[in-house]
Amino acid sequence: MESGRMIPWLNLVVCVLLLLKAEGSLVPLTLVENALTKGAVCLDGSPPAYHFDKGAGEGINNWIVHMEGGGWCKDADDCLGRKDTRLGSSNQMVEDLYFSGILGNDRDYNPDFYNWNRVKIRYCDGSSFTGDVEEVDPTNNLYFRGARIFSAVMEDLLAKGMDKAENAILSGCSAGGLTTILHCDNFKALLPSGANVKCVPDAGFFINVYDPLIVFYLGSTKNLPSSCTSKLSPGLCFFPQYVLSHISTPIFIVNSAYDSWQIRNILAPGAADPNDSWHSCKLDLSKCSHDQLSIVQGFKKEFEKAVSVVGDSSSRGMFIDSCFDHCQTESQETWFKSDSPHLANTTIAKAVGDWFYGRGSFDQIDCNYPCNPTCQNLVSDLKDHPGI
């Protein structure tokens, strides 16, 4: 009788395993132990880490390096709150990580990049890989070495074959998307001169309403693009709308014009809403009042103005949908499936693939919410995006 009860559960387990096999894979953690001698360490002093799924066949010399997201810390208390979590210590990171979307290894779900070398670099420095402070405060024992982490991990990957890259993409989600923008030219400079190198930041286009104290506290100033900091305040050069025009490497912006993280934490943060009147609206835009929706639509206008710096060069592109979401390239649901978000009858995966390989340009900004029916299944919640 007990074994009979188990059959439905066994069937469910088998179905889940088959689904995982079809849409992605589990990839083990690699610690960069030799980074310790270079002072390239997480907030707690542990070594940096990444997950690496080796390419095959025609993709053996092609690389996607994806930067994990996770927000920022701007002072000692903020950073101490991360120190004993996966966002501050490799000791707290899972051994195996699921790859899907742009990192997936199945041709049916990731047709252009499935057989590439695919890497996800874990985020444990709190500064979008820009901080670098030599001194370690003995009272809190925090290390701010994000820029060194970036260099040490890249050196490790170059030794594993990335020095022979023919095609390469630097990508990332949220704070990792901002990393992608800030380090885009640095990444290209590391690779062979003849390589086809481009950048695809996802949900990393944060508009300038955030206090940029991070660039001073974590020592980020010297690691922001000098072409920008030589003309503008370093605080401004942490924002894509000011730094993007100083980046020469081809870049494709993937973002929602109604980015759920920015609406929840920048447009209507808890501190500015003591009565919690925005609670329902921030979880589901269909629950917004008329006045709240007007404010949200105003945010989209400001976002469109900021993202206009992308320009209309053939080396640049963008997929700006009106889905209430945050990070869309790493999720199979939003990257490439029959019911994924579309713009101009095109999925994110196809838009990025066509642009990367020169099969066609793509430069689309969606109409106002709730105009896009392909967004209908994407009422998101922060818990759905642990990497923000």
Side-chain angles (χ1 to χ4, degrees), residues 193-273:
S193 59
N196 180 24
V197 182
K198 301 183 180 182
C199 300
V200 183
D202 176 11
F205 204 100
F206 297 91
I207 62 176
N208 182 20
V209 289
Y210 179 79
D211 184 356
L213 291 176
I214 177 178
V215 304
F216 305 106
Y217 180 67
L218 301 183
S220 298
T221 300
K222 60 182 175 292
N223 296 306
L224 299 173
S226 59
S227 55
C228 180
T229 56
S230 64
K231 299 175 182 177
L232 299 174
S233 160
L236 292 179
C237 293
F238 198 67
F239 294 101
Q241 67 199 83
Y242 301 109
V243 77
L244 200 62
S245 61
H246 299 278
I247 293 171
S248 59
T249 305
I251 195 163
F252 190 102
I253 305 294
V254 177
N255 226 101
S256 169
Y258 300 90
D259 184 277
S260 57
W261 191 92
Q262 293 197 56
I263 286 176
R264 289 162 176 158
N265 295 278
I266 294 177
L267 178 67
D273 183 31

Side-chain angles (χ1 to χ4, degrees), residues 275-316:
N275 297 321
D276 212 18
S277 60
W278 277 77
H279 177 77
S280 296
C281 176
K282 290 193 294 184
L283 293 179
D284 182 351
L285 293 187
S286 68
K287 304 292 178 58
C288 295
S289 68
H290 175 77
D291 289 344
Q292 288 171 334
L293 191 57
S294 294
I295 293 172
V296 169
Q297 300 293 16
F299 176 85
K300 179 176 184 277
K301 288 183 180 179
E302 290 299 313
F303 182 87
E304 288 179 359
K305 187 186 304 181
V307 83
S308 66
V309 298
V310 173
D312 57 2
S313 166
S314 60
S315 70
R316 298 191 168 188

